[in-house]
Amino acid sequence: MVENRFWIDKSLAELSDDEWESLCDGCGRCCQIRLEDSETGQLMETAITCRLFDNDSCRCTQYSRRHVEVKNCVSINADNVSDLYWLPKTCAYKLVDEGQDLHPWHPLVAGNHQAIKEAGISVYGKTISEEHVHQEDIESYIKWV
């Protein structure tokens, strides 16, 4: 557990690189493939993750090279977090941007990375890599609609 609750005292723009990275709770939901209904604009998450996502660690296997490897990978930063409407309500970046505290299961609060899995917030064990899904089958993986 972090004694220095920096996310309370600082804005996202004021965070050091280490503080920024530690805010990621490892839920993996930002790595899920989403579909948007062209008529309604409704956004639907799928149980499919980016090919670079490691389901065991709930982290990107090529984090430093993700934008080279995946052209449409979106960087979350202090300038765009409020515009990323698809981020889950539980996202620490979104919470801090809105002046809210982190949830009790967040690794910085709980003191461990298992709490998010135990709380059922992460995609751990709930997804399949896009490498194993045929394009025509993607809609059958829609969830949390």
Side-chain angles (χ1 to χ4, degrees):
M1 183 174 351
V2 174
E3 291 183 28
N4 170 13
R5 296 171 48 91
F6 60 84
W7 61 91
I8 298 291
D9 300 325
K10 295 181 178 182
S11 70
L12 289 176
E14 296 171 318
L15 298 180
S16 70
D17 289 346
D18 287 343
E19 289 169 334
W20 178 270
E21 294 301 328
S22 71
L23 269 186
C24 177
D25 57 27
C27 74
R29 292 183 65 193
C30 59
C31 297
Q32 287 179 278
I33 306 297
R34 289 164 201 73
L35 302 175
E36 186 172 349
D37 186 303
S38 60
E39 293 179 16
T40 66
Q42 180 184 12
L43 195 63
M44 297 163 278
E45 290 181 339
T46 71
I48 305 168
T49 54
C50 169
R51 63 183 174 82
L52 300 180
F53 184 75
D54 175 44
N55 193 51
D56 290 332
S57 67
C58 284
R59 300 287 181 183
C60 181
T61 60
Q62 298 290 320
Y63 186 70
S64 63
R65 293 186 38 80
R66 66 193 184 282
H67 297 105
V68 173
E69 299 289 329
V70 178
K71 299 297 181 206
N72 62 348
C73 181
V74 176
S75 284
I76 301 170
N77 59 56
D79 294 329
N80 71 1
V81 70
S82 62
D83 296 328
L84 301 177
Y85 60 91
W86 48 265
L87 286 173
K89 292 180 224 175
T90 58
C91 177
Y93 298 112
K94 188 178 203 101
L95 292 171
V96 172
D97 186 57
E98 295 171 351
Q100 298 180 50
D101 201 353
L102 302 180
H103 292 285
W105 43 257
H106 190 286
L108 290 173
V109 177
N112 68 73
H113 290 281
Q114 283 300 114
I116 189 167
K117 292 177 183 177
E118 293 167 1
I121 303 300
S122 80
V123 299
Y124 176 76
K126 303 174 188 174
T127 62
I128 184 171
S129 173
E130 66 182 328
E131 291 183 312
H132 304 294
V133 178
H134 294 288
Q135 186 69 28
E136 62 272 6
D137 296 333
I138 290 178
E139 288 187 10
S140 66
Y141 288 91
I142 293 173
K143 65 180 200 170
W144 301 318
V145 178

